[in-house]
Amino acid sequence: MTESEHKEFEQKSLCPKFDRWVLADSWSAFLANLPIISVVYVGLIIVTVLSTYFDSSLISGRGMDLSWSTTLISYLYDIPLAVLSIFMISILMYVVHSTILGGKSSWDALLSEKKKNVKKFSKRFLLMFLAVFGLTILIQIVVLLMIFALGSKPPAIKLMVTLGAICSLVVCVVVALSVTWPASAVWCEDKTWNRALLRGRKSFWYLVSRHFFILPVFLVMAGILFAVVLPILISKVGNGGVPVELTLGVRLWGSFLFSLFGGVVFIFWIVAQTVIISRALLIGEARLPAVETYE
């Protein structure tokens, strides 16, 4: 065997082979963690309905006066609920990671693992979310400032759209490169951010390609969701074709209905994302040199 053939063989041997497709593993992980998923599902529905209740009550009480004070009060309600949602999603992702990487599922994954591992993962997940959220808000502020400065002329609009697209692409790339960092807090020897970026470079195209592969499936699921939910919602709040006033009751019913059906699609999407991230972590680690090289 020549040296070039040996290197090619060695490179292929460093790529983990997965027996099943992403959605097959996602479905298995979904069933294996059904008790945790059920708790998270109910929790997300409650959070969504509460958020709708607080926002609708505030708007109704202020007569649609969307002042700075109204917006601030709305944030005071929404931020704790958003943090709670992120925490529940992090727990769901943790148990799915544990199923793929550690061989433990559902309550066993939480009870048998050290509590500090769950806290590490949740903390890193929250930090990543806040960083991406903050970067997104910063981009929106820049775009808004450009709107005020340049106006609504066609060249300005074209420039803003281009800038927004480039910024969004940069955010997606940064997320793809660092997305294995939370899981590395538990399932990797080297837990540094630098190692996560190196791992992300080695698994970047796998991560991107698998997202494109599963995206059509979830678009179909979303289409079915709207085809089922919208007629039900219209039949419940419709009034013979007469426009219905968006009262608090109507808003709560719509929020509950969409979260009831949409929550299933959303949670399965999170499970599929987590399976892809777990696989990307395995691929990235296999393609990188030993940990000692970076210590």
Side-chain angles (χ1 to χ4, degrees):
M1 182 182 289
T2 65
E3 184 178 352
S4 60
E5 288 174 337
H6 176 75
K7 287 183 178 180
E8 182 180 356
F9 175 81
E10 185 181 35
Q11 182 64 28
K12 288 183 178 179
S13 68
L14 293 178
C15 299
K17 303 297 182 183
F18 302 107
D19 296 331
R20 298 185 301 178
W21 194 40
V22 170
L23 290 178
D25 268 349
S26 300
W27 179 246
S28 297
F30 185 89
L31 295 178
N33 294 287
L34 197 57
I36 300 292
I37 286 174
S38 300
V39 174
V40 173
Y41 174 62
V42 173
L44 290 177
I45 291 176
I46 293 173
V47 167
T48 303
V49 173
L50 283 177
S51 178
T52 302
Y53 172 78
F54 289 136
D55 290 342
S56 299
S57 299
L58 185 63
I59 291 173
S60 299
R62 299 272 175 147
M64 296 299 291
D65 177 23
L66 300 179
S67 61
W68 283 106
S69 60
T70 304
T71 304
L72 180 61
I73 294 172
S74 177
Y75 281 149
L76 291 177
Y77 286 128
D78 289 338
I79 289 177
L81 294 176
V83 171
L84 180 59
S85 298
I86 295 167
F87 175 73
M88 289 189 289
I89 292 172
S90 72
I91 294 298
L92 172 59
M93 294 186 72
Y94 182 90
V95 295
V96 175
H97 276 311
S98 181
T99 301
I100 304 298
L101 301 173
K104 296 179 180 179
S105 304
S106 193
W107 297 111
D108 186 39
L110 294 177
L111 299 178
S112 61
E113 297 283 355
K114 297 179 181 179
K115 291 183 179 180
K116 65 178 182 180
N117 288 340
V118 183
K119 291 180 179 179
K120 281 182 182 178
F121 178 84
S122 298
K123 185 186 296 183
R124 287 193 176 190
F125 182 78
L126 179 60
L127 287 174
M128 271 201 66
F129 179 86
L130 291 176
V132 174
F133 179 76
L135 188 58
T136 304
I137 293 297
L138 180 61
I139 291 172
Q140 291 178 353
I141 291 174
V142 171
V143 172
L144 287 174
L145 290 176
M146 289 183 64
I147 291 175
F148 287 121
L150 302 177
S152 57
K153 297 179 181 179
I157 294 175
K158 183 178 180 180
L159 176 63
M160 287 183 291
V161 170
T162 303
L163 178 63
I166 293 174
C167 292
S168 299
L169 182 61
V170 170
V171 171
C172 291
V173 170
V174 171
V175 171
L177 290 175
S178 57
V179 76
T180 60
W181 182 59
S184 68
V186 180
W187 292 284
C188 282
E189 294 181 23
D190 192 324
K191 306 172 175 61
T192 63
W193 178 268
N194 180 54
R195 180 76 176 187
L197 293 177
L198 292 171
R199 188 166 50 239
R201 288 175 57 190
K202 296 295 184 179
S203 58
F204 178 82
W205 291 114
Y206 173 84
L207 193 77
V208 172
S209 64
R210 292 311 179 272
H211 277 83
F212 277 111
F213 287 157
I214 69 172
L215 185 60
V217 177
F218 284 92
L219 289 177
V220 171
M221 293 175 66
I224 295 174
L225 167 68
F226 279 99
V228 172
V229 173
L230 284 179
I232 297 175
L233 183 61
I234 292 172
S235 66
K236 293 295 183 181
V237 304
N239 188 20
V242 178
V244 178
E245 182 183 356
L246 292 179
T247 61
L248 178 59
V250 171
R251 292 176 186 270
L252 290 177
W253 171 251
S255 175
F256 172 76
L257 196 61
F258 273 100
S259 59
L260 184 67
F261 289 93
V264 177
V265 178
F266 175 73
I267 286 179
F268 191 69
W269 171 257
I270 295 296
V271 172
Q273 298 290 311
T274 309
V275 169
I276 294 174
I277 294 170
S278 296
R279 290 183 169 194
L281 187 146
L282 293 174
I283 291 172
E285 282 297 310
R287 292 176 179 175
L288 283 174
V291 170
E292 288 76 13
T293 304
Y294 297 95
E295 289 182 342

